[in-house]
Amino acid sequence: MLTFCPCCANVLIVEEGPKCYRFSCNTCPYIHNIQRKIANRKYPKLKEVDDVLGGAAAWENVDSTEETCPRCSHPRAFFMQIQTRSADEPMTTFYKCCSQSCGHRWRE
């Protein structure tokens, strides 16, 4: 936390005084003794993250293929291809296991 001098508006530094710590200014004679603990916390508001794949609705009308699930070894998986990088890079293939009990997602 930065504290500024009320006289010249420079940043105050913390130094050890004769009885306690104090704020002092390097450019003017301003001194302010610290009587109690000073704390100030501000937590930034986090951004809401959008699902880049379109959420649960994106998997409703996709095709399935013969791809083995790495988690449950189910022989089929739903897939969709999305361009996640620049146009000269190949498309990324996203898979979702067809097994209702598994539902594992992975990409290739």
Side-chain angles (χ1 to χ4, degrees), residues 5 8-13 23-31:
C5 178
C8 63
N10 285 329
V11 177
L12 296 176
I13 60 169
F23 288 121
S24 67
C25 184
N26 280 338
T27 56
C28 71
Y30 178 79
I31 294 175

Side-chain angles (χ1 to χ4, degrees), residues 25-64:
C25 184
N26 280 338
T27 56
C28 71
Y30 178 79
I31 294 175
H32 176 73
N33 290 330
I34 300 172
Q35 304 295 332
R36 58 183 171 80
K37 182 178 178 180
I38 299 172
N40 187 8
R41 291 185 184 175
K42 284 190 176 182
Y43 295 101
K45 186 181 272 186
L46 298 176
K47 291 182 181 179
E48 292 184 18
V49 179
D50 293 334
D51 189 359
V52 294
L53 300 179
W59 291 99
E60 289 178 0
N61 298 320
V62 294
D63 294 327
S64 63

Side-chain angles (χ1 to χ4, degrees), residues 55-72:
W59 291 99
E60 289 178 0
N61 298 320
V62 294
D63 294 327
S64 63
T65 185
E66 292 182 16
E67 183 71 29
T68 304
C69 175
R71 184 181 287 169
C72 71

Side-chain angles (χ1 to χ4, degrees), residues 43-106:
Y43 295 101
K45 186 181 272 186
L46 298 176
K47 291 182 181 179
E48 292 184 18
V49 179
D50 293 334
D51 189 359
V52 294
L53 300 179
W59 291 99
E60 289 178 0
N61 298 320
V62 294
D63 294 327
S64 63
T65 185
E66 292 182 16
E67 183 71 29
T68 304
C69 175
R71 184 181 287 169
C72 71
S73 300
H74 191 273
R76 294 198 64 80
F78 298 114
F79 76 97
M80 70 171 130
Q81 291 185 324
I82 298 176
Q83 187 73 40
T84 57
R85 297 180 180 263
S86 62
D88 61 341
E89 298 286 329
M91 296 179 78
T92 304
T93 305
F94 293 90
Y95 294 101
K96 181 180 176 184
C97 182
C98 287
S99 173
Q100 294 291 334
S101 61
C102 179
H104 177 64
R105 294 181 184 184
W106 72 97

